[in-house]
Amino acid sequence: AANGLKMLESMYRRPIFNVAAVQQLLGLSPQAANSLTEKLTDLGLVREITGNKRNRVFRYDPYVTLFSD
């Protein structure tokens, strides 16, 4: 839960990110960073925007849509 909260706070400053950024920010293994990103995706907080299986980029959609109008 602590990593999720820290990541959520970080996404306000940087709403577009990749798993490597999660790793670096939180000091997680690649597997743990990927797992956290998947959980955020399942919750509907982030969306994968590249369509790739590798080097995926995610966007904090609820936050970004506030500024899209």
Side-chain angles (χ1 to χ4, degrees), residues 37-50:
T37 305
E38 286 180 20
K39 287 178 186 174
L40 293 171
T41 302
D42 291 344
L43 290 170
L45 293 175
V46 302
R47 181 172 60 95
E48 197 277 324
I49 59 174
T50 60

Side-chain angles (χ1 to χ4, degrees), residues 4-67:
L5 288 174
K6 190 172 182 180
M7 187 61 204
L8 183 61
E9 290 174 3
S10 170
M11 289 188 304
Y12 285 107
R13 291 185 308 274
R14 195 171 182 194
I16 297 174
F17 62 93
N18 60 19
V19 174
V22 176
Q23 280 181 259
Q24 185 176 23
L25 174 71
L26 302 175
L28 299 176
S29 68
Q31 296 83 4
N34 194 47
S35 177
L36 177 58
T37 305
E38 286 180 20
K39 287 178 186 174
L40 293 171
T41 302
D42 291 344
L43 290 170
L45 293 175
V46 302
R47 181 172 60 95
E48 197 277 324
I49 59 174
T50 60
N52 298 335
K53 292 187 180 196
R54 292 178 166 234
N55 301 319
R56 298 174 298 162
V57 175
F58 297 86
R59 182 172 70 185
Y60 183 24
D61 263 354
Y63 186 66
V64 172
T65 57
L66 290 173
F67 303 101

